[in-house]
Amino acid sequence: RICVITLAEAHPLLQSGKTIKSINYQISANCSRLQNKVSGKSKRGAQFLTELAPLCRISSSDGEEYTIYSCIRGRLIEVNENILSNPALLQQKPSTEGYIAVVLPKFEESKSITQGLLTQKEYEEVLLKRRSSSS
């Protein structure tokens, strides 16, 4: 029931051959996702995230900046510090070593969250419709 947050296949950073310049987990002056300290079975100390909570900001070499949001409610279990020193992991291995964060939704909400997700086939159909409407 944990959720691994990654970049979607259709994200502009993965599509347009951009180069990632930096990744910043410092969300505001008082909030850094790197300060997240989790301990124990009940995950004490984990930052609580809403669907619209920013996880990080990614800057590309062309000056574009992308804010990556949690998209689900839950506790922030871990951020991937490896992408700080090797940002290319986000593009080379986006669904494995290039993950952004791990979030643990509330037990009661985890079923409704997973029921609301698209299957791979549904996701591909959405992308196809998006591409055909933009051309």
Side-chain angles (χ1 to χ4, degrees):
R1 89 182 168 94
I2 65 168
C3 298
V4 180
I5 311 296
T6 64
L7 288 179
E9 292 172 25
H11 195 281
L13 280 167
L14 300 180
Q15 293 301 305
S16 56
K18 294 184 180 199
T19 305
I20 296 173
K21 188 171 73 175
S22 67
I23 299 159
N24 189 355
Y25 283 111
Q26 185 77 36
I27 301 309
S28 67
N30 300 329
C31 180
S32 172
R33 300 298 180 209
L34 293 172
Q35 301 292 311
N36 192 54
K37 300 290 181 231
V38 180
S39 65
K41 192 169 97 175
S42 63
K43 307 302 178 212
R44 277 187 307 280
Q47 295 174 9
F48 188 78
L49 304 171
T50 64
E51 297 91 332
L52 300 174
L55 288 171
C56 68
R57 290 191 176 79
I58 302 173
S59 300
S60 65
S61 55
D62 65 357
E64 289 285 325
E65 184 174 90
Y66 301 91
T67 301
I68 307 302
Y69 296 93
S70 169
C71 300
I72 58 168
R73 287 169 34 99
R75 293 185 177 275
L76 179 63
I77 302 303
E78 172 186 326
V79 293
N80 185 1
E81 293 184 34
N82 294 333
I83 61 175
L84 295 174
S85 58
N86 187 2
L89 282 175
L90 273 175
Q91 293 166 311
Q92 294 165 355
K93 300 179 179 182
S95 56
T96 56
E97 294 171 46
Y99 71 96
I100 294 167
V102 177
V103 177
L104 181 66
K106 283 186 174 176
F107 184 75
E108 313 83 59
E109 295 177 8
S110 60
K111 188 168 184 133
S112 65
I113 289 170
T114 53
Q115 286 174 340
L117 296 175
L118 299 176
T119 65
Q120 183 69 26
K121 189 172 193 274
E122 290 169 333
Y123 174 68
E124 288 166 1
E125 287 170 4
V126 168
L127 291 180
L128 198 60
K129 285 179 190 170
R130 190 183 296 167
R131 285 188 198 118
S132 63
S133 69
S134 68
S135 52

